[in-house]
Amino acid sequence: RARVGGELEASYYKGLLERDLGNGSVAATLFREGALAGDPNAMQEFAALCQHGLGSVVRDLDQATFWFEKAADFTSEAMYQAHMLYSQPTENRAADEAAADLYLERAARMGHHEAMIKMLKPLVREERWEQAIPWLLRMESKKSMTMFVKLYREGVAMRPFSVFRGRQILEGLASNGFGDAERLLAEFYKGTEARGEL
């Protein structure tokens, strides 16, 4: 009744239910219906079916790219999948490095964890710290904050906002009792004293 009434997300949620019940071809039909109606969640689900050729949907990487690209304005996962698909050729097009890079950066900026790691790795490998540090801070993980503190204590040049944001993240993590946050914060403060930035 909701689908008939024009509720945009109804096909998506009904598709999830049908998939959970083991009705893959019904779910695929519902996801396609929702995608055609403009629901980004249904677009993403239908794109994944096209990408992997699941259920009654034939594997079609061009269709998968099309639907992930349409959903990319709404979800970071769709952005990341568009990156993955543009990184490789299909039967109908060559790989498109520029499009792949664009979607990778968009996904990373929207907080997609794997995309942020892909953005960060070459920056760290090439020691491009000015560009790497904001990504370390965005990740807010134990590993990224450990690297941030290490770089700070080693005297790597950092913008004042990065230092402020790093301290803010560490203080928040420490006040919430996360892992090694108190130790990292203490090391950060030692670095602050050594740099004369107290």
Side-chain angles (χ1 to χ4, degrees):
R1 193 169 35 197
R3 286 183 319 153
V4 174
E7 292 184 34
L8 183 63
E9 296 174 332
S11 292
Y12 167 71
Y13 286 110
K14 178 80 170 132
L16 292 177
L17 177 63
E18 292 294 339
R19 184 176 61 197
D20 289 347
L21 294 172
N23 302 324
S25 60
V26 175
T29 299
L30 290 163
F31 291 142
R32 183 177 186 280
E33 182 181 288
L36 290 169
D39 177 11
N41 292 315
M43 290 175 194
Q44 184 170 303
E45 289 295 329
F46 188 65
L49 293 176
C50 293
Q51 183 179 25
H52 302 291
L54 301 173
S56 61
V57 179
V58 176
R59 186 170 194 251
D60 183 337
L61 296 180
D62 292 310
Q63 277 295 303
T65 303
F66 173 81
W67 287 110
F68 276 128
E69 199 167 17
K70 285 189 74 78
D73 286 339
F74 304 96
T75 75
S76 63
E77 181 61 27
M79 292 174 201
Y80 185 71
Q81 292 304 322
H83 154 72
M84 296 297 289
L85 287 164
Y86 274 119
S87 296
Q88 55 191 309
T90 68
E91 290 180 17
N92 300 313
R93 66 162 173 76
D96 185 338
E97 189 177 328
D101 290 348
L102 171 71
Y103 283 109
L104 177 63
E105 184 172 350
R106 285 182 66 194
R109 290 188 183 284
M110 291 298 294
H112 191 281
H113 185 74
E114 292 169 41
M116 289 193 293
I117 290 172
K118 274 191 168 185
M119 290 291 294
L120 183 58
K121 278 185 177 180
L123 299 175
V124 169
R125 186 174 47 249
E126 297 163 15
E127 297 183 3
R128 293 174 19 205
W129 302 127
E130 186 174 341
Q131 293 147 322
I133 288 167
W135 289 109
L136 290 171
L137 296 174
R138 285 183 68 110
M139 293 188 70
E140 294 186 28
S141 69
K142 178 180 176 180
K143 189 173 182 180
S144 70
M145 294 311 294
T146 298
M147 180 174 269
F148 167 76
V149 170
K150 179 179 179 269
L151 294 171
Y152 184 71
R153 291 203 59 198
E154 288 175 355
V156 169
M158 296 185 184
R159 294 180 181 194
F161 179 77
S162 293
V163 174
F164 166 77
R165 183 68 185 129
R167 187 186 78 232
Q168 193 178 46
I169 291 167
L170 289 167
E171 287 173 348
L173 292 172
S175 70
N176 287 307
F178 287 108
D180 289 340
E182 286 188 28
R183 178 187 58 77
L184 287 173
L185 187 59
E187 288 181 24
F188 174 81
Y189 284 137
K190 286 179 189 172
T192 302
E193 289 174 25
R195 291 168 72 124
E197 296 179 357
L198 267 179

